[in-house]
Each structure stands twice: as C-alpha cells, then as structure tokens.
Amino acid sequence: ATLLKTGKAGFHAMHFINGRQALCGFKDGAVALYDFKREQIEWSTEGGHTETIFDCAFKNSDPNILATASYDSTIRLWDVRNNKCVEKLQKARGVLYSVTWSPDSTKLATSNSQGTVF
C-alpha cells in the first residue's frame, strides 16, 4: 500500500512530527510538510539547499522555525509561516547528516561525514 505520494521526484527522507504530519526532504534541496489526513502537501520550499537534505528539526521554543542539514555542507533555518529561508549557516565542513536543537533552543548541533560535531 502507498503511504503517500508527493508528486515530486527525488524524495529522500521523511520525519514524522506528529500523528498526522511528516516533513519530507528532497534531492533538489527542498523540504515539504505532508498532511496524511488531507493527503496533500501543506507547504513546500522552493529548494534553497543545492543538494540533498538529510535531516531536519523544529526549534523547541518556536515551532515555526525549521533547521535542515544538507549534503551541500550548510544548515538552513526556515520560517514555515512563509516558506522562506531566514538564515544560512556555513561554518560546518563536509556532508551534514544530522541536525538538532539544544533543549533550550539556544544552540544548534550538526554532524558530518567525518564524524565531527559542530
């Protein structure tokens, strides 16, 4: 059985965020929010990253801010209210496979393909 159809090629990753929605990452660097109840994409970015998104995480203190980690060695912060990238973080090196916020949302950590945490 088909779980979801995004209608978009290059589907790469999915992260459930609650019982009815999931974040989807794509090889073209876009991210989308899929609603299972409505069976549709609620919102989607127009790329942003230049390569595949491997991980994403909502900010604990502000669920309107989403961080994404990518093969392009950047973390991008998105405002999901308007689907815009509000910040591009470029201090990490290598392919970024994970991203997470600290419990108090004051720090953002990512890890790369060489096993380094930034």
Side-chain angles (χ1 to χ4, degrees):
T2 301
L3 181 61
L4 67 96
K5 286 189 179 185
T6 64
K8 188 169 170 61
F11 184 83
H12 188 269
M14 182 171 68
H15 301 276
F16 286 95
I17 58 171
N18 57 41
R20 86 170 226 230
Q21 296 174 316
L23 286 168
C24 305
F26 298 91
K27 288 186 178 184
D28 69 357
V31 64
L33 179 70
Y34 187 86
D35 188 299
F36 290 98
K37 186 174 182 180
R38 293 181 171 178
E39 297 182 349
Q40 67 184 26
I41 290 178
E42 292 295 305
W43 58 260
S44 178
T45 65
E46 293 295 326
H49 286 284
T50 59
E51 290 285 345
T52 304
I53 293 172
F54 286 111
D55 198 16
C56 50
F58 281 101
K59 189 172 185 178
N60 301 320
S61 64
D62 185 352
N64 293 308
I65 301 298
L66 174 70
T68 55
S70 174
Y71 187 92
D72 68 8
S73 303
T74 67
I75 299 281
R76 291 184 188 251
L77 302 182
W78 303 89
D79 186 328
V80 300
R81 293 168 291 197
N82 60 20
N83 308 336
K84 302 284 184 199
C85 178
V86 294
E87 192 166 354
K88 179 180 174 183
L89 308 172
Q90 303 181 79
K91 292 188 179 189
R93 301 283 183 253
V95 177
L96 302 181
Y97 286 110
S98 67
V99 64
T100 189
W101 293 93
S102 63
D104 64 0
S105 298
T106 61
K107 296 175 183 69
L108 195 58
T110 187
S111 63
N112 72 7
S113 53
Q114 290 84 39
T116 304
V117 175
F118 298 93

